[in-house]
Amino acid sequence: MPAVPHSQEAARRVLVVEDQEDCLAMMVELISTQGCEVRVARDGQTALCVAQEFLPHVILLDLGLPVIHGYEVAKALRRDPRTQHAVIVAVTGYGMESDRVRSAQAGIDRHLIKPVAFEELAGLLRLHGVSDWTPLS
């Protein structure tokens, strides 16, 4: 299947992959306030299936997932022409330098450590054209 280019509508799509319910709910709430369309997955296998149909522009990916580890999810997303251009952001508790290296090797674009501040997350979404949020001065 050929790659599907991201339209403006697609550029507002965010997939949140997180197995901890409280963290998932918080991220979905924050992202939804930015006018984004949000889908969720609670494990790696579901994330791959949702991503193939949803074609997100940004994927917020926990690394310590059940079924398939986040690093493997990222590698699979990069191999798939439908998702290879998505911005993948690790949102994880793994904060050692070796974790950041593994993220980069798996094709992850950014590596954020939990808990992530709202301003950092919103700024990241704005940077990638997903949100129009601007901080108050």
Side-chain angles (χ1 to χ4, degrees), residues 58-116:
V58 174
I59 300 167
L60 301 178
L61 178 64
D62 185 23
L63 296 178
L65 295 170
V67 184
I68 302 173
H69 200 277
Y71 296 121
E72 296 308 314
V73 172
K75 290 175 187 177
L77 290 166
R78 289 294 181 229
R79 286 191 302 266
D80 188 330
R82 295 169 288 190
T83 57
Q84 67 185 2
H85 298 295
V87 176
I88 304 174
V89 180
V91 180
T92 183
Y94 299 170
M96 297 179 65
E97 185 58 30
S98 60
D99 301 319
R100 292 177 184 278
V101 169
R102 281 187 73 189
S103 286
Q105 291 171 341
I108 295 172
D109 299 298
R110 296 280 306 268
H111 189 105
L112 303 179
I113 306 302
K114 293 177 186 175
V116 178

Side-chain angles (χ1 to χ4, degrees), residues 6-14 36 55 57-58 128-131:
H6 290 292
S7 65
Q8 273 302 98
E9 180 181 326
R12 300 194 65 84
R13 294 179 185 207
V14 178
C36 300
L55 302 175
H57 181 258
V58 174
H128 292 289
V130 177
S131 169

Side-chain angles (χ1 to χ4, degrees), residues 14 26 31 125:
V14 178
M26 182 205 61
I31 296 163
L125 294 175

